[in-house]
Amino acid sequence: QVHLVESGGGLVQAGGSLRLSCAASGIIFSINRMGWYRQAPGKQRELVATITSAGSINYADSVKGRFTISRDYAKNIVYLQMDSLKFEDTAVYYCNAVRPPSSYWGQGTQVTVSS
């Protein structure tokens, strides 16, 4: 099992910044990808950004140039730096870890951007 705990969500004005953190514990060896997804009310969960164990990064088009994903391999923490936040970034943000053949999710952290 992999246990994921997110932190760093909150309320911020449009144009502001937040940094989310996700700490992984448990059987963490062989995790080959970690990332962030989000789900807004009434919408499906969508990819925000992922980072592989090799350092390959992928962003959703909607966050490119504004969000930065990074990973501290020694501490088993993945971060999401969110800058220039927009109202439409409001959602519950979920951390994800893929350790084949399983996928694990955190409990989610609320990000609310006021316009």
Short mmCIF file of all heavy atoms in Angstrom, two decimals, residues 39-66:
data_model
loop_
_atom_site.label_atom_id
_atom_site.label_comp_id
_atom_site.label_asym_id
_atom_site.label_seq_id
_atom_site.Cartn_x
_atom_site.Cartn_y
_atom_site.Cartn_z
N GLN A 39 -10.69 18.05 -9.42
CA GLN A 39 -12.10 17.86 -9.76
C GLN A 39 -12.90 19.04 -9.26
O GLN A 39 -12.96 19.31 -8.05
CB GLN A 39 -12.63 16.56 -9.15
CG GLN A 39 -14.03 16.20 -9.60
CD GLN A 39 -14.40 14.77 -9.24
OE1 GLN A 39 -13.79 14.14 -8.39
NE2 GLN A 39 -15.41 14.25 -9.90
N ALA A 40 -13.51 19.75 -10.19
CA ALA A 40 -14.37 20.87 -9.87
C ALA A 40 -15.80 20.36 -9.72
O ALA A 40 -16.15 19.31 -10.26
CB ALA A 40 -14.29 21.93 -10.96
N PRO A 41 -16.64 21.09 -9.01
CA PRO A 41 -18.03 20.66 -8.82
C PRO A 41 -18.73 20.42 -10.15
O PRO A 41 -18.68 21.24 -11.07
CB PRO A 41 -18.66 21.83 -8.07
CG PRO A 41 -17.53 22.48 -7.36
CD PRO A 41 -16.35 22.34 -8.27
N GLY A 42 -19.35 19.25 -10.27
CA GLY A 42 -20.09 18.93 -11.48
C GLY A 42 -19.25 18.51 -12.65
O GLY A 42 -19.78 18.30 -13.75
N LYS A 43 -17.94 18.39 -12.45
CA LYS A 43 -17.06 18.02 -13.55
C LYS A 43 -16.29 16.75 -13.22
O LYS A 43 -16.20 16.34 -12.06
CB LYS A 43 -16.07 19.15 -13.84
CG LYS A 43 -16.73 20.42 -14.36
CD LYS A 43 -15.70 21.43 -14.80
CE LYS A 43 -16.35 22.67 -15.39
NZ LYS A 43 -15.33 23.66 -15.85
N GLN A 44 -15.74 16.13 -14.25
CA GLN A 44 -14.93 14.94 -14.05
C GLN A 44 -13.54 15.31 -13.55
O GLN A 44 -13.05 16.42 -13.76
CB GLN A 44 -14.82 14.17 -15.37
CG GLN A 44 -16.11 13.51 -15.83
CD GLN A 44 -15.89 12.60 -17.03
OE1 GLN A 44 -15.01 12.85 -17.85
NE2 GLN A 44 -16.67 11.55 -17.12
N ARG A 45 -12.92 14.35 -12.88
CA ARG A 45 -11.55 14.55 -12.43
C ARG A 45 -10.64 14.65 -13.67
O ARG A 45 -10.79 13.88 -14.62
CB ARG A 45 -11.11 13.39 -11.55
CG ARG A 45 -9.80 13.62 -10.83
CD ARG A 45 -9.53 12.52 -9.82
NE ARG A 45 -10.54 12.47 -8.77
CZ ARG A 45 -10.45 11.72 -7.67
NH1 ARG A 45 -9.37 10.96 -7.50
NH2 ARG A 45 -11.41 11.71 -6.78
N GLU A 46 -9.72 15.61 -13.62
CA GLU A 46 -8.84 15.82 -14.77
C GLU A 46 -7.38 15.92 -14.34
O GLU A 46 -7.08 16.32 -13.21
CB GLU A 46 -9.23 17.11 -15.52
CG GLU A 46 -9.08 18.38 -14.70
CD GLU A 46 -9.41 19.64 -15.50
OE1 GLU A 46 -9.86 19.54 -16.65
OE2 GLU A 46 -9.19 20.74 -14.95
N LEU A 47 -6.51 15.57 -15.26
CA LEU A 47 -5.08 15.65 -15.00
C LEU A 47 -4.64 17.10 -14.90
O LEU A 47 -5.09 17.96 -15.68
CB LEU A 47 -4.32 14.94 -16.11
CG LEU A 47 -2.80 14.98 -16.06
CD1 LEU A 47 -2.23 13.67 -16.61
CD2 LEU A 47 -2.21 16.14 -16.84
N VAL A 48 -3.76 17.38 -13.95
CA VAL A 48 -3.14 18.70 -13.85
C VAL A 48 -1.67 18.60 -14.27
O VAL A 48 -1.23 19.30 -15.17
CB VAL A 48 -3.24 19.26 -12.43
CG1 VAL A 48 -2.51 20.59 -12.32
CG2 VAL A 48 -4.69 19.41 -12.00
N ALA A 49 -0.94 17.71 -13.61
CA ALA A 49 0.48 17.55 -13.93
C ALA A 49 0.97 16.22 -13.37
O ALA A 49 0.48 15.77 -12.33
CB ALA A 49 1.31 18.69 -13.34
N THR A 50 1.92 15.61 -14.07
CA THR A 50 2.54 14.38 -13.59
C THR A 50 4.05 14.46 -13.76
O THR A 50 4.55 15.21 -14.61
CB THR A 50 2.03 13.15 -14.34
OG1 THR A 50 2.31 13.28 -15.73
CG2 THR A 50 0.53 12.94 -14.14
N ILE A 51 4.75 13.67 -12.95
CA ILE A 51 6.20 13.58 -13.05
C ILE A 51 6.60 12.12 -12.83
O ILE A 51 6.13 11.48 -11.90
CB ILE A 51 6.89 14.52 -12.04
CG1 ILE A 51 8.42 14.45 -12.19
CG2 ILE A 51 6.46 14.25 -10.61
CD1 ILE A 51 9.15 15.56 -11.43
N THR A 52 7.41 11.61 -13.73
CA THR A 52 7.82 10.22 -13.62
C THR A 52 9.10 10.10 -12.77
O THR A 52 9.75 11.09 -12.45
CB THR A 52 8.09 9.62 -14.99
OG1 THR A 52 9.28 10.21 -15.54
CG2 THR A 52 6.92 9.85 -15.94
N SER A 53 9.45 8.87 -12.46
CA SER A 53 10.66 8.63 -11.68
C SER A 53 11.90 9.05 -12.45
O SER A 53 12.95 9.33 -11.86
CB SER A 53 10.75 7.16 -11.28
OG SER A 53 10.70 6.34 -12.43
N ALA A 54 11.79 9.11 -13.76
CA ALA A 54 12.91 9.56 -14.60
C ALA A 54 12.93 11.07 -14.77
O ALA A 54 13.84 11.61 -15.42
CB ALA A 54 12.83 8.89 -15.97
N GLY A 55 11.93 11.74 -14.21
CA GLY A 55 11.89 13.19 -14.28
C GLY A 55 11.11 13.76 -15.45
O GLY A 55 11.11 14.97 -15.67
N SER A 56 10.45 12.91 -16.20
CA SER A 56 9.63 13.39 -17.31
C SER A 56 8.35 14.03 -16.76
O SER A 56 7.68 13.46 -15.91
CB SER A 56 9.28 12.23 -18.24
OG SER A 56 8.47 12.67 -19.30
N ILE A 57 8.03 15.22 -17.27
CA ILE A 57 6.91 16.00 -16.75
C ILE A 57 5.87 16.25 -17.84
O ILE A 57 6.22 16.48 -19.00
CB ILE A 57 7.42 17.34 -16.19
CG1 ILE A 57 8.23 17.10 -14.91
CG2 ILE A 57 6.28 18.30 -15.92
CD1 ILE A 57 8.91 18.34 -14.36
N ASN A 58 4.62 16.21 -17.41
CA ASN A 58 3.50 16.48 -18.31
C ASN A 58 2.53 17.42 -17.63
O ASN A 58 2.22 17.25 -16.45
CB ASN A 58 2.80 15.16 -18.67
CG ASN A 58 1.68 15.36 -19.64
OD1 ASN A 58 1.82 16.05 -20.63
ND2 ASN A 58 0.53 14.75 -19.35
N TYR A 59 2.07 18.43 -18.36
CA TYR A 59 1.09 19.38 -17.83
C TYR A 59 -0.15 19.41 -18.70
O TYR A 59 -0.08 19.25 -19.92
CB TYR A 59 1.67 20.80 -17.82
CG TYR A 59 2.80 21.03 -16.85
CD1 TYR A 59 4.11 21.12 -17.30
CD2 TYR A 59 2.55 21.18 -15.49
CE1 TYR A 59 5.16 21.35 -16.41
CE2 TYR A 59 3.59 21.41 -14.60
CZ TYR A 59 4.89 21.49 -15.07
OH TYR A 59 5.91 21.72 -14.19
N ALA A 60 -1.28 19.67 -18.07
CA ALA A 60 -2.48 20.00 -18.82
C ALA A 60 -2.27 21.34 -19.50
O ALA A 60 -1.60 22.23 -18.96
CB ALA A 60 -3.68 20.06 -17.89
N ASP A 61 -2.84 21.49 -20.68
CA ASP A 61 -2.68 22.75 -21.41
C ASP A 61 -3.15 23.95 -20.59
O ASP A 61 -2.58 25.04 -20.68
CB ASP A 61 -3.44 22.69 -22.73
CG ASP A 61 -2.78 21.78 -23.75
OD1 ASP A 61 -1.59 21.45 -23.58
OD2 ASP A 61 -3.46 21.38 -24.71
N SER A 62 -4.18 23.73 -19.79
CA SER A 62 -4.79 24.84 -19.06
C SER A 62 -3.88 25.41 -17.96
O SER A 62 -4.12 26.51 -17.47
CB SER A 62 -6.11 24.39 -18.44
OG SER A 62 -5.89 23.30 -17.57
N VAL A 63 -2.84 24.66 -17.58
CA VAL A 63 -1.98 25.13 -16.48
C VAL A 63 -0.54 25.38 -16.93
O VAL A 63 0.27 25.85 -16.14
CB VAL A 63 -1.99 24.14 -15.29
CG1 VAL A 63 -3.41 23.87 -14.84
CG2 VAL A 63 -1.26 22.85 -15.63
N LYS A 64 -0.23 25.08 -18.18
CA LYS A 64 1.14 25.28 -18.68
C LYS A 64 1.55 26.73 -18.52
O LYS A 64 0.79 27.65 -18.84
CB LYS A 64 1.24 24.86 -20.14
CG LYS A 64 1.31 23.36 -20.35
CD LYS A 64 1.42 23.02 -21.83
CE LYS A 64 1.45 21.52 -22.04
NZ LYS A 64 1.49 21.15 -23.48
N GLY A 65 2.75 26.93 -18.00
CA GLY A 65 3.27 28.27 -17.80
C GLY A 65 2.86 28.90 -16.49
O GLY A 65 3.37 29.95 -16.11
N ARG A 66 1.92 28.28 -15.79
CA ARG A 66 1.46 28.82 -14.50
C ARG A 66 1.77 27.88 -13.34
O ARG A 66 2.04 28.34 -12.23
CB ARG A 66 -0.05 29.07 -14.55
CG ARG A 66 -0.47 30.05 -15.61
CD ARG A 66 -1.95 30.42 -15.48
NE ARG A 66 -2.84 29.26 -15.62
CZ ARG A 66 -3.67 28.84 -14.69
NH1 ARG A 66 -3.76 29.47 -13.53
NH2 ARG A 66 -4.46 27.79 -14.90
#
